[in-house]
Amino acid sequence: MLKKIRGGFFLVIGYLLSPLCWWNDIFFNLPIAYFFGYVCSWFSPNLLLPCSILGYWISNILGILLMQFGTVDILQKQPEERNLKKDLLTGLVSSTIYTLAILALIQLKILDAPVLFSFINKNDSMPF
C-alpha cells in the first residue's frame, strides 16, 4: 500500500513537471528554470539564458522520469529491478524532442518568446 501511495505521489509531481501538462510551465517549470539560470548567473551573467533553458529541460526530464517511476510503483505487482539507463534515455530523448519543437516554433515566429527573453536586443538574433 505504501508503495502505491509513493507511486501516486511521484506520478502527480511528475505530471506537473512534465511536458504533458499544458499549464504547468507558468507555475512550475519556468520558475524552476529561471531560478536555475539565476543561480548559474552568479558565476557569469552570460549564463542566465543558457542555464534557464537547461533548467527547463532538466525539469521536463525529471517530470517524465517521476511519472515513469510512479506508474511502475502503482502498476507493478511484484518488485522488479528497474532499468535506470533506459528510463533516463527515454526521458532525455522525449524532453529533447519537446524542447527542439518549442525552439523551432519560436524561431519560425509561430510562438512568441516568453518575457524571459525580453532583455535580448530586438536587433540581435536569438542565441539558440
Side-chain angles (χ1 to χ4, degrees), residues 40-52:
C40 291
S41 73
W42 291 343
F43 302 103
S44 171
N46 295 333
L47 291 177
L48 177 66
L49 182 61
C51 287
S52 293

Side-chain angles (χ1 to χ4, degrees), residues 3 6 21 27 39 41 46 54 61 67 70 76-77 85 87 91 96-98 109 118 121 123:
K3 185 176 178 184
R6 179 185 70 181
C21 181
F27 296 109
V39 169
S41 73
N46 295 333
L54 180 65
I61 290 172
M67 284 179 55
Q76 196 172 41
K77 301 281 186 224
K85 285 184 181 181
D87 291 344
T96 301
I97 290 170
Y98 177 76
K109 307 284 190 234
S118 66
N121 186 346
N123 298 327

